[in-house]
Amino acid sequence: MLRWITLFCALVLLPCHAQVLIKDATLRLLPPLVPNTSAYFELENTGDKPEVVVGVTSEIARSVEIHNHIMTAETMRMERLTELTILPGESIAFTPGGLHLMVFGLKQSLIEGQTVTFNLTTKSGLSIPFDAIVVRP
């Protein structure tokens, strides 16, 4: 009986094992009345299949979106991405001037050194929580 319970638990938990890692996450500290900010980190797919990021949330904000800076006609602008594919073995850097998270509608002022939790979701159903440290730009 114990063997069946162990097998059942392993099968239930197997799909929850994240193959996407988030490293060195930071959240930009801005003046207290600024309602929006940005977050940066490294995203790595350690699995053997592509993962498609379809969303990010955090309890500290109204919404969180993946954005990229795009150069068009000698003008830099931000563009929202509704999906981001990360191939097996690939690492993608979220950096100022490139891919980043836009954090809209902060519900509270941030404090330098504070830890803020985000939750990344993928098309395959992975839900990956990660912490970002609030830092000065």
Side-chain angles (χ1 to χ4, degrees):
M1 181 64 167
L2 182 58
R3 186 178 293 169
W4 286 108
I5 293 171
T6 303
L7 178 61
F8 174 77
C9 289
L11 291 174
V12 168
L13 295 176
L14 185 63
C16 299
H17 178 66
Q19 295 185 29
V20 176
L21 302 176
I22 294 101
K23 302 177 191 173
D24 304 321
T26 60
L27 181 62
R28 181 174 271 185
L29 177 66
L30 294 176
L33 298 177
V34 177
N36 307 323
T37 189
S38 52
Y40 310 103
F41 52 91
E42 183 179 340
L43 183 64
E44 182 181 3
N45 182 351
T46 62
D48 58 0
K49 64 179 181 173
E51 288 290 349
V52 180
V53 178
V54 294
V56 184
T57 59
S58 178
E59 290 184 6
I60 64 135
R62 176 180 39 81
S63 66
V64 181
E65 299 175 356
I66 300 171
H67 281 224
N68 196 8
H69 282 94
I70 305 292
M71 181 68 92
T72 48
E74 299 181 26
T75 303
M76 184 70 78
R77 66 181 178 80
M78 281 195 301
E79 177 179 84
R80 180 181 183 204
L81 302 178
T82 56
E83 291 186 347
L84 177 66
T85 300
I86 180 167
L87 300 174
E90 182 178 34
S91 290
I92 298 175
F94 282 60
T95 61
L99 282 170
H100 60 283
L101 296 183
M102 281 302 303
V103 181
F104 294 107
L106 288 171
K107 297 177 182 177
Q108 64 188 44
S109 295
L110 300 174
I111 301 167
E112 187 173 11
Q114 173 183 356
T115 300
V116 174
T117 300
F118 289 86
N119 192 55
L120 181 140
T121 55
T122 68
K123 193 177 269 188
S124 68
L126 291 177
S127 180
I128 307 161
F130 67 95
D131 290 334
I133 304 296
V134 176
V135 297
R136 289 191 183 276

